[in-house]
Amino acid sequence: MGKMVLSPTRTFLPIMMRIFAEYQQQLKGIIHCTGGAQTKCLKFMDRGHVVKDNLFETPRLFELIQQASGTQWKEMYEVFNMGNLLEIFTDGSTAKGIIDIAAEFGVEARIIGRVEDDPAKRLTVR
């Protein structure tokens, strides 16, 4: 467990520099999922329904924490990033280009969800 917790943090700077160079105007938001984890996106919007239904597989470390602590999964997603480290809010076409850039750096990226029109501000994580 110590190796999992103390492993070096990946820097996204080289990837983000490319993304900014090619897509800066198409970016609507960027969130590093720390300090609020999956709910952090709600701090940066006034309205809309964020649906995250294609997240990455939960890393073993978080499964071990959940099992040892008995913490409800809902709370785990509110506190920990659960393996989803960085979110970029943009359109689908731009997302494809960003995914390709990440792949060039050996980083798996994917579309994890969407923002639906909604007068309220809410989040659904599946």
Side-chain angles (χ1 to χ4, degrees):
M1 286 194 58
K3 284 184 180 182
M4 286 188 251
V5 173
L6 298 174
S7 64
T9 302
R10 167 181 277 141
T11 177
F12 293 106
L13 183 59
I15 300 169
M16 291 308 302
M17 287 176 63
R18 278 275 309 280
I19 291 169
F20 283 134
E22 295 184 32
Y23 297 110
Q24 186 169 358
Q25 297 304 312
Q26 292 89 345
L27 305 180
K28 304 297 183 201
I30 302 168
I31 298 174
H32 193 265
C33 298
T34 58
Q38 297 308 310
T39 63
K40 191 171 186 178
C41 60
L42 295 175
K43 295 179 182 180
F44 301 100
M45 54 190 292
D46 295 323
R47 58 187 302 272
H49 180 197
V50 179
V51 179
K52 298 182 183 183
D53 56 3
N54 191 35
L55 294 171
F56 288 92
E57 184 176 329
T58 302
R60 181 76 177 126
L61 173 64
F62 297 115
E63 291 175 358
L64 294 170
I65 291 170
Q66 191 279 330
Q67 290 168 1
S69 67
T71 303
Q72 296 294 312
W73 282 108
K74 180 182 184 300
E75 184 176 352
M76 293 289 294
Y77 279 90
E78 292 172 351
V79 174
F80 300 106
N81 64 39
M82 305 302 281
N84 293 274
L85 307 175
L86 183 73
E87 295 177 2
I88 298 175
F89 289 75
T90 191
D91 61 87
S93 174
T94 303
K96 172 69 172 103
I98 290 171
I99 291 167
D100 291 344
I101 290 171
E104 290 176 26
F105 286 88
V107 173
E108 183 183 1
R110 67 168 73 160
I111 296 173
I112 64 165
R114 63 198 170 281
V115 179
E116 299 174 345
D117 189 36
D118 194 310
K121 175 171 69 171
R122 60 193 183 109
L123 168 68
T124 300
V125 177
R126 293 186 190 116

